[in-house]
Amino acid sequence: QAKCIFWSETPNFDHRRPGSPRCPYPIAFPILALWHPLKSITKTIPAIMASDQIRQMVNFILQEAHEKANEIRVKTEHDFNLEKQTLVHEAKLAVQDEFTKKEKDREVQERIARSAEIGACRQKKMALRDDLLTSLMKEASSKCKVVADGSNYPALIQKLIVQGLIKIEELEVVVYCRKADLSTVKKVLSAAIKEYVEIMEKESGIKLQPKVTVNDDRKKDLPDSSNGGVKLTALNNKIVCDNTMSSRLGLVYEELMPSIREILFPEQ
């Protein structure tokens, strides 16, 4: 069926809405009417509008979801980068601390090694010095043996006995000597006692009568390493005066050690 309606009666005409189709003349045009009744058409329009609203709401929700997801992603990336930077910085600090610690340990080990090396060099130098001084003592000891073979040795034995008697300050004294010097000691003993008595009388005004004997036990004779000289004892060996050549050499060596070291090892 065909029906004539005016332009103003069309569904899209709205004189209050700008842009709506207008016609200056009420001209009628034919519109093919649907087979459905008009009532069904009016029911379909709200359904379409509701569908459009639902679609718009869905689109709005999706847009909001996308924006929220994007915001979460940006925040997550920012937090991730910040955490990564923090971890990297902490790792750098840890590496620097470890490097500093190892550097200090290396310096300490180098100092220890250098100190040990210096100590070893000093020890080696001291050992060489001691060896040199020992050889010097051996050489001096060999020179003392030459003195024991000299012509002035009996007079030296007499002086050593007198000096020992003065030091020991006892009236009963036993004199020990080498087996090779036994005859020389017996020969000069009386002269040594006489000289001792004169010295003590001159110094104190008292004339002493000491009893000085020579050791008669050949097992107790002085060894050849003593290089000559005598040893005096009193009060059953409780008082000893070692006046051998080796003993006197040792005393001189200890007394002159600073001078000997200064001569042999001058400081740079």
Side-chain angles (χ1 to χ4, degrees):
Q1 297 178 358
K3 184 181 178 181
C4 287
I5 61 175
F6 292 97
W7 184 274
S8 58
E9 294 176 355
T10 58
N12 292 330
F13 177 79
D14 186 1
H15 65 276
R16 294 172 299 176
R17 186 177 61 183
S20 59
R22 293 178 178 273
C23 182
Y25 305 103
I27 300 176
F29 59 91
I31 298 180
L32 220 216
L34 298 175
W35 292 101
H36 297 355
L38 184 59
K39 185 177 181 180
S40 62
I41 294 176
T42 56
K43 290 182 179 180
T44 305
I45 291 175
I48 295 174
M49 294 178 65
S51 177
D52 291 340
Q53 290 179 358
I54 292 172
R55 186 172 60 256
Q56 290 177 1
M57 292 175 63
V58 170
N59 292 335
F60 176 77
I61 293 172
L62 291 176
Q63 181 68 25
E64 290 290 329
H66 286 305
E67 291 179 357
K68 190 65 177 180
N70 188 39
E71 182 181 351
I72 294 173
R73 181 182 60 80
V74 172
K75 186 177 184 304
T76 303
E77 290 180 357
H78 178 268
D79 294 342
F80 170 76
N81 292 329
L82 183 61
E83 184 68 20
K84 182 176 71 173
Q85 291 177 0
T86 303
L87 293 176
V88 170
H89 181 67
E90 291 178 354
K92 286 182 179 180
L93 292 178
V95 171
Q96 290 178 356
D97 292 340
E98 185 70 18
F99 177 77
T100 303
K101 182 180 178 180
K102 289 185 178 181
E103 185 69 17
K104 290 182 179 179
D105 292 341
R106 185 184 63 81
E107 291 179 357
V108 170
Q109 293 299 326
E110 287 182 355
R111 291 178 182 176
I112 293 174
R114 184 166 59 252
S115 178
E117 186 176 356
I118 292 174
C121 291
R122 288 179 177 175
Q123 185 177 3
K124 185 177 180 180
K125 182 173 69 174
M126 294 300 296
L128 292 175
R129 288 184 176 183
D130 290 340
D131 293 342
L132 181 59
L133 292 175
T134 302
S135 64
L136 182 63
M137 280 290 293
K138 290 181 179 179
E139 185 179 355
S141 179
S142 64
K143 295 291 182 64
C144 290
K145 292 180 181 180
V146 176
V147 174
D149 297 334
S151 58
N152 296 327
Y153 186 61
L156 177 62
I157 289 291
Q158 180 179 338
K159 296 297 182 181
L160 292 175
I161 294 173
V162 173
Q163 186 181 39
L165 291 173
I166 295 173
K167 289 290 184 181
I168 207 167
E169 294 182 353
E170 292 292 334
L171 295 178
E172 293 184 6
V173 179
V174 179
V175 180
Y176 293 85
C177 63
R178 296 184 306 173
K179 185 177 181 180
D181 298 334
L182 183 61
S183 59
T184 304
V185 171
K186 289 181 178 181
K187 182 179 179 180
V188 301
L189 182 59
S190 59
I193 294 173
K194 182 180 179 181
E195 183 178 356
Y196 167 68
V197 171
E198 292 176 353
I199 291 173
M200 296 303 293
E201 184 178 5
K202 181 179 179 181
E203 294 294 333
S204 63
I206 301 174
K207 188 174 182 179
L208 301 177
Q209 294 180 356
K211 181 181 178 181
V212 182
T213 58
V214 180
N215 171 49
D216 55 0
D217 188 357
R218 299 280 71 84
K219 294 181 180 180
K220 295 182 180 179
D221 287 341
L222 299 179
D224 293 337
S225 59
S226 63
N227 298 324
V230 294
K231 181 172 73 173
L232 286 72
T233 65
L235 300 177
N236 294 325
N237 293 326
K238 293 181 180 179
I239 302 177
V240 179
C241 178
D242 192 350
N243 218 8
T244 59
M245 298 297 290
S246 61
S247 176
R248 295 180 68 88
L249 178 62
L251 292 174
V252 173
Y253 175 76
E254 291 180 0
E255 183 179 355
L256 297 179
M257 177 61 70
S259 300
I260 294 173
R261 287 184 178 276
E262 185 177 356
I263 293 173
L264 295 178
F265 316 112
E267 295 293 337
Q268 297 296 333

